[in-house]
Amino acid sequence: MEKKQLINYLYYFAAFVVLAGIITFLSGVAYARFIYATGCIMYAVSRALYFFIFKPDKRNRIPQIQLFGSVLLVISAYFMLKSSNSWSLFLFLTAVIEIYTSFRTKDQ
């Protein structure tokens, strides 16, 4: 398998784990915070691997913005682990960044 394909699989699996963590948290499962935090860390690692291994063009700032969004996702996991409601704000900011970058990549 190629590196890029493995990173994509890690990205999709991490997104699934993040979603599972949110769903289990909303349903009141005790260990949901750890599922969410694990997914967020895997998500950030997949973005960082893509950014540092494939070294995108300097003119293309989309991977840098995506990396910033994954850092916000890790911050949201921190607030979820601390039992603060601020995690939803950082999750929202991450979602806005992901939507922005998905529309910008279609233009390029």
Side-chain angles (χ1 to χ4, degrees):
M1 277 188 170
E2 295 180 19
K3 287 181 185 179
K4 193 170 190 175
Q5 192 174 13
L6 286 174
I7 292 173
N8 281 338
Y9 286 148
L10 176 64
Y11 170 76
Y12 292 133
F13 181 70
F16 174 75
V17 173
V18 167
L19 182 62
I22 291 172
I23 291 171
T24 54
F25 180 77
L26 294 177
S27 64
V29 177
Y31 53 87
R33 293 182 172 126
F34 300 108
I35 296 172
Y36 180 72
T38 303
C40 290
I41 291 170
M42 290 184 344
Y43 188 88
V45 166
S46 69
R47 289 288 190 188
L49 283 174
Y50 179 80
F51 184 76
F52 291 116
I53 289 176
F54 295 107
K55 296 185 178 34
D57 190 17
K58 296 284 185 191
R59 294 173 291 150
N60 189 1
R61 287 184 265 154
I62 298 299
Q64 295 171 354
I65 296 170
Q66 290 172 335
L67 192 61
F68 177 71
S70 65
V71 169
L72 288 177
L73 196 62
V74 171
I75 293 171
S76 75
Y78 170 76
F79 281 118
M80 184 184 273
L81 287 172
K82 291 292 183 181
S83 299
S84 174
N85 287 334
S86 300
W87 69 272
S88 57
L89 173 68
F90 286 99
L91 181 65
F92 174 74
L93 292 174
T94 303
V96 168
I97 287 173
E98 289 295 322
I99 290 172
Y100 171 76
T101 57
S102 69
F103 284 116
R104 291 289 297 177
T105 54
K106 289 180 182 177
D107 292 342
Q108 296 177 357

